Amino acid sequence: MIIQQFIQKVAFSSLMAICTSLSFSVLANAEIAASKSGDPAQTIGITASITDADLDLYRTHVSTLASDKFEGRGPLSAGETLTVNYLVEAYKALGLKPAFGDSYTQPVPLAKITPSSDMALTLGQHTFAGGSAFTARTQRIVKDITLKNSDVIFVGYGINAPEYNWNDYAGLDVKGKTVVMLVNDPGFASKDPDLFQGNAMTYYGRWTYKYEEAARQGAEAVFIVHETMPAGYGWGVVENSNSNTKFTLVDNNKNLSQVGVMGWLHLNTARTVFEQAGLDYATLKEQASAPGFKAIPMNVKASLTFSNTITHAQSQNVAAILPGASAPDEWVMLHAHWDHLGKSEKNGKTVIYNGAVDNASGVAGVLTLANSLVAKSKQTPFERTLMFSAFTAEETGLLGAEHFAKNPPIPTAKMVAFLNIDGMNVNNAVDYILQYGEGYSSLEDDLRTGAAAQGRSVKLDPRPQNGLFFRSDHFALARQGVPSLLFMSLGDTDPNFIAKRYHKADDDYLPSWSLGGVQQDLALIGTMMSDLANSQQWPVWKRDSDFKKKRELDTAAANASDAVQ
């Protein structure tokens, strides 16, 4: 097996000796003085020195996980079995303890849904082919989906946001109907900094929210009009991510409360339909970005039929812990999702989506830092528990993370912080670190302090309109109140990555990667993990939000429980 070959190659039996070479040096120090009720202190300025041996270990991890043998690490596939076994064996070899009682894995019940590939969508007088013109799928656990002569309504951005005094559904009854909407949110389109959060996408701009809100409104079908700039990716990403097998968690009602059709329209398709309806797409798009927009019936009918092949199975989250010496019930967590898109058949050939950068690079980073932090703990034990995790089904909607967040091994109030790696800079080192989201939590201050100790600055997300803060596993934990931070360099140092490799078959491991960025970022992340694990610091949410409210409620409940005990 691959994992056995790996163990032989790097000699896990003597891996601690290798890991010990990952030395930590103190560059600057600041006093740590914080309490659970006060503001968090600044972190001390420690960076890790990542050696050539550590980068060799990293290469072994990333090249193995991104190899064809792992078949693109698709959930519920042979690739999952290889991946989960690889992770479990690696954590066992390091002497880490299981995170889920006596198990390193957490079962995640999923439905594997594959829609028929020959579907066609009729909108008014036009019929469009699936894949090139539109995509459609469902998360309902049903054999067949039938949309017949459904009224179509253009609902702008499909947003109901009371705090922004915005409701695209005001006075509108969409029960059983089809809604067409724009991607992103009005702030991006208008460039008005006072509208939503201006150019920075809010959660209201995410497709996940749009489907959720349409379901709450009673719509039967949703079609989001794709445009590359506000979406943050091209049509190829939409097609690859929605035309093949998808996964979903399953509720007690077989997901029947969700929308029946989760769809996207190619921009050309949308323009054709709007023109047929006597509407100007560009004009309506502009109007939809201004306050007071009213939804518009398009006076066309939608019809669509497709069947689903459904398989019920369990995927696996993987996590291991290094128990803390004095506060073992307080966990500092480091994570990267293990899954990618698996493989598919196209034109009679098998296409494997190896996902080397997204996200074998992140998983390799977690494994490498687990090695180093275990070695460090043998010299001086950490006060708090460290958790190292890899969840399933991130690519299909953060499903593994959502299951973990709602079924945690410890109360979320006891989770100190969740640091998430999703796509590392495998190229040369840079003089900055990217920050996703602004003004969310005090972890951003820790990031700035750690970067400064390396002589680096913090650079805000250059593409805030893409809403990356809401698009990776940490977001599921943030929704449960856990302060979270995303480390991502997805294409930042490679201008061709998003267009040519992201969610495509060309996201492969390359021996030519310099790993300069990996070296500096792992040092910074290792710094933050060490600091959080050896202090009484409790990161806090800064901005008023659902995250902050959830944390306050959880903390109050935990304190009350502790008082009773």
Side-chain angles (χ1 to χ4, degrees):
M1 294 177 62
I2 285 288
I3 186 64
Q4 293 171 334
Q5 295 169 356
F6 164 72
I7 293 175
Q8 293 170 358
K9 181 175 180 179
V10 300
F12 254 124
S13 60
S14 61
L15 190 56
M16 293 301 97
I18 297 175
C19 296
T20 303
S21 68
L22 180 56
S23 60
F24 284 72
S25 59
V26 178
L27 300 184
N29 290 280
E31 181 180 2
I32 296 177
S35 67
K36 294 184 180 181
S37 59
D39 292 332
Q42 293 290 327
T43 59
I44 57 177
I46 300 177
T47 65
S49 177
I50 307 297
T51 67
D52 288 344
D54 304 317
L55 293 181
D56 287 343
L57 181 60
Y58 179 90
R59 284 189 189 277
T60 298
H61 285 313
V62 70
S63 61
T64 301
L65 290 165
S67 65
D68 282 353
K69 185 167 185 177
F70 279 62
E71 298 184 351
R73 304 185 307 282
L76 308 183
S77 71
E80 164 164 353
T81 301
L82 285 171
T83 302
V84 170
N85 288 344
Y86 184 92
L87 294 171
V88 169
E89 291 303 318
Y91 288 139
K92 284 181 178 179
L94 287 170
L96 294 169
K97 305 299 183 185
F100 308 104
D102 60 356
S103 178
Y104 291 91
T105 60
Q106 179 188 46
V108 181
L110 295 178
K112 180 179 180 180
I113 306 177
T114 305
S116 52
S117 60
D118 57 350
M119 67 178 72
L121 171 66
T122 298
L123 288 167
Q125 301 172 3
H126 297 273
T127 298
F128 303 95
S132 61
F134 78 96
T135 67
R137 63 185 180 92
T138 188
Q139 292 185 166
R140 292 182 179 179
I141 310 303
V142 295
K143 172 65 177 175
D144 298 302
I145 290 290
T146 300
L147 189 70
K148 186 175 182 179
N149 293 327
S150 173
D151 291 330
V152 181
I153 304 173
F154 176 61
V155 294
Y157 285 90
I159 292 173
N160 178 16
E163 69 272 35
Y164 292 112
N165 194 30
W166 193 282
N167 186 2
D168 287 320
Y169 292 99
L172 188 64
D173 180 7
V174 298
K175 289 182 174 61
K177 299 177 182 178
T178 296
V179 291
V180 173
M181 61 187 66
L182 304 170
V183 71
N184 214 307
D185 64 42
F188 170 80
S190 67
K191 301 298 186 288
D192 182 351
D194 296 325
L195 191 61
F196 286 72
Q197 291 180 26
N199 194 46
M201 182 191 287
T202 64
Y203 185 56
Y204 294 113
R206 290 287 293 133
W207 57 263
T208 48
Y209 163 79
K210 294 175 187 291
Y211 292 141
E212 291 166 0
E213 183 58 35
R216 285 189 285 269
Q217 298 290 334
E220 181 63 17
V222 177
F223 286 97
I224 302 171
V225 179
H226 173 266
E227 291 194 52
T228 298
M229 287 299 292
Y233 39 78
W235 180 255
V237 174
V238 174
E239 184 175 354
N240 287 339
S241 299
N242 292 279
S243 297
N244 301 312
T245 296
K246 299 288 284 187
F247 305 90
T248 181
L249 297 173
V250 182
D251 63 24
N252 293 330
N253 193 33
K254 296 185 177 180
N255 296 347
L256 293 182
S257 62
Q258 299 187 30
V259 293
V261 177
M262 304 166 65
W264 288 81
L265 295 180
H266 192 284
L267 180 57
N268 291 338
T269 302
R271 285 173 171 159
T272 298
V273 175
F274 274 75
E275 181 179 354
Q276 168 192 297
L279 303 170
D280 183 76
Y281 174 77
T283 299
L284 285 180
K285 177 182 173 182
E286 183 177 356
Q287 293 174 359
S289 302
F293 171 77
K294 300 296 183 183
I296 298 175
M298 296 184 65
N299 297 318
V300 298
K301 303 285 187 179
S303 295
L304 171 69
T305 299
F306 61 91
S307 59
N308 299 300
T309 301
I310 302 173
T311 304
H312 292 273
Q314 288 184 340
S315 189
Q316 303 290 328
N317 288 335
V318 185
I321 58 173
L322 178 62
S326 62
D329 61 334
E330 299 173 4
W331 288 19
V332 179
M333 302 177 288
L334 179 63
H335 173 77
H337 73 87
W338 63 254
D339 67 301
H340 197 54
L341 304 182
K343 63 181 182 178
S344 65
E345 298 296 323
K346 290 191 174 182
N347 300 320
K349 295 183 179 180
T350 299
V351 179
I352 301 177
Y353 301 91
N354 283 318
V357 172
D358 182 17
N359 186 31
S361 70
V363 178
V366 172
L367 291 173
T368 301
L369 278 179
N371 294 340
S372 69
L373 293 171
V374 165
K376 181 176 172 62
S377 73
K378 292 185 178 299
Q379 302 172 16
T380 306
F382 292 106
E383 301 304 315
R384 286 168 162 164
T385 292
L386 297 181
M387 186 190 85
F388 306 96
S389 62
F391 298 158
T392 184
E394 187 270 356
E395 298 289 5
T396 198
L398 321 184
L399 300 184
E402 181 181 346
H403 183 77
F404 176 91
K406 292 180 177 179
N407 301 276
I410 63 168
T412 52
K414 295 294 186 179
M415 295 179 179
V416 178
F418 189 85
L419 308 186
N420 175 31
I421 308 176
D422 193 352
M424 299 200 73
N425 172 20
V426 296
N427 299 307
N428 295 335
V430 292
D431 61 359
Y432 60 87
I433 184 73
L434 289 173
Q435 175 182 308
Y436 294 90
E438 182 180 10
Y440 281 111
S441 81
S442 60
L443 290 173
E444 297 168 12
D445 301 326
D446 300 339
L447 180 71
R448 188 175 302 106
T449 301
Q454 292 184 309
R456 293 204 283 171
S457 62
V458 168
K459 177 181 175 182
L460 294 179
D461 179 8
R463 298 183 297 274
Q465 67 274 14
N466 294 354
L468 292 173
F469 183 83
F470 312 106
R471 288 169 53 180
S472 192
D473 277 346
H474 68 282
F475 181 60
L477 275 296
R479 295 180 79 172
Q480 297 301 319
V482 181
S484 303
L485 192 67
L486 171 63
F487 291 88
M488 177 184 283
S489 184
L490 208 59
D492 181 67
T493 58
D494 180 358
N496 294 318
F497 180 80
I498 296 296
K500 295 185 177 181
R501 286 185 283 281
Y502 175 60
H503 280 201
K504 296 180 175 66
D506 288 337
D507 184 7
D508 288 320
Y509 166 73
L510 301 175
S512 60
W513 288 350
S514 71
L515 301 186
V518 167
Q519 186 172 35
Q520 63 181 170
D521 287 348
L522 289 185
L524 176 53
I525 298 167
T527 294
M528 294 184 67
M529 292 291 290
S530 297
D531 294 349
L532 289 165
N534 281 328
S535 76
Q536 297 178 8
Q537 175 180 348
W538 284 84
V540 296
W541 293 105
K542 292 182 176 182
R543 178 184 297 167
D544 287 336
S545 63
D546 290 342
F547 314 145
K548 185 175 182 179
K549 293 175 184 176
K550 183 66 167 64
R551 188 63 158 186
E552 290 172 346
L553 289 172
D554 278 1
T555 301
N559 289 340
S561 177
D562 290 344
V564 170
Q565 295 176 0

